[in-house]
Amino acid sequence: MGFITGSASFMRFSVEGEPPPGNFWDFVAERVAAHSFRDIDDTLDEYSIGWVSVANMFDSDFAYGSYAAGDYVVLSMRIDERKVSSAVLKKYVLKEEERVRAERQVPKLSRSVRLEIKERVRTELVRKAPPIPVVYDLCWNLANSTLLFFSTSKKAMVLLEELFRDTFDMSIVLQIPWNTALHLLDEDRAARLDDVRPAILM
């Protein structure tokens, strides 16, 4: 839980767009519930992504509105995925190819048969593999429309952008120093940024 434990690395985003008219927290409650995390432990699904409480990765019901903290929305993006290592897959594919080849009493299997075996073995192994969970925290500042995401993983940031857009119908934009300056400066000073050029400091 990068947000509530010790030091943490984070990336800053700006939130672009406006929520629909009406009670904002009712809007958040409805959308978060619709995109909350669905457990796949007792299913054959390979992948699941959604929102959970920042305090408890097993809380996806948000019974007490734990995502609301003053002028902030705090959530965790949880991803569960069943994975099989390439070495394990290769081992079981070769084992199955040997079995089929002996059963058919042929010196070599065709490419189509080997592909069918590989896909079948992969599916069987994935279904047996326990889902591996990963959790990323975020803090959305409603006062200045900024969002802190407590990870620097590019893959995680792409997934966050998609989940946030699907949930709230708003987009987030990664804040590079230029964008941060535009956000902090008044209109006159922001216009002067166009004249800024790189410099070598000796």
Side-chain angles (χ1 to χ4, degrees):
M1 300 293 176
F3 177 46
I4 58 177
T5 58
S7 60
S9 300
F10 63 86
M11 301 298 288
R12 185 191 304 270
F13 292 82
S14 64
V15 179
E16 307 291 336
E18 297 291 336
N23 186 295
F24 174 77
W25 290 111
D26 287 345
F27 163 73
V28 172
E30 176 189 342
R31 296 302 181 89
V32 169
H35 293 84
S36 61
F37 177 79
R38 308 298 185 215
D39 197 277
I40 59 173
D41 282 355
D42 298 323
T43 73
L44 298 179
D45 294 343
E46 296 183 18
Y47 183 85
S48 180
I49 182 172
W51 304 115
V52 296
S53 166
V54 74
N56 183 354
M57 65 181 284
F58 300 105
D59 179 9
S60 58
D61 295 328
F62 302 97
Y64 301 102
S66 59
Y67 46 76
D71 285 340
Y72 297 86
V73 175
V74 289
L75 289 165
S76 290
M77 180 177 72
R78 176 175 168 182
I79 304 167
D80 276 24
E81 186 173 10
R82 300 182 196 275
K83 295 180 178 178
V84 178
S85 74
S86 58
V88 171
L89 177 61
K90 183 179 180 180
K91 168 190 169 183
Y92 282 91
V93 167
L94 291 175
K95 187 175 182 180
E96 180 64 5
E97 286 180 357
E98 283 298 303
R99 188 193 68 79
V100 173
R101 191 176 61 80
E103 181 181 83
R104 297 183 181 183
Q105 297 182 344
V106 295
K108 186 177 180 180
L109 298 175
S110 67
R111 183 173 183 274
S112 62
V113 172
R114 286 188 284 113
L115 287 176
E116 183 275 327
I117 289 174
K118 183 177 182 180
E119 183 57 29
R120 174 162 51 81
V121 170
R122 192 196 73 83
T123 301
E124 291 173 356
L125 291 176
V126 166
R127 287 178 175 178
K128 293 177 181 176
I132 300 173
V134 184
V135 178
Y136 304 99
D137 300 336
L138 69 86
C139 178
W140 175 9
N141 185 331
L142 303 176
N144 61 15
S145 297
T146 60
L147 183 150
L148 302 183
F149 183 55
F150 292 85
S151 173
T152 57
S153 163
K154 292 182 180 179
K155 179 180 179 182
M157 284 189 281
V158 170
L159 293 172
L160 171 68
E161 290 173 0
E162 294 174 352
L163 181 59
F164 192 91
R165 182 181 62 247
D166 293 344
T167 302
F168 300 110
D169 293 331
M170 289 183 272
S171 60
I172 56 175
V173 178
L174 182 63
Q175 291 296 282
I176 60 176
W178 178 277
N179 290 339
T180 302
L182 285 176
H183 187 77
L184 295 174
L185 297 175
D186 57 41
E187 187 174 338
D188 291 338
R189 291 183 177 179
R192 292 162 57 186
L193 287 176
D194 291 337
D195 299 326
V196 174
R197 295 291 182 271
I200 299 176
L201 303 178
M202 300 297 290

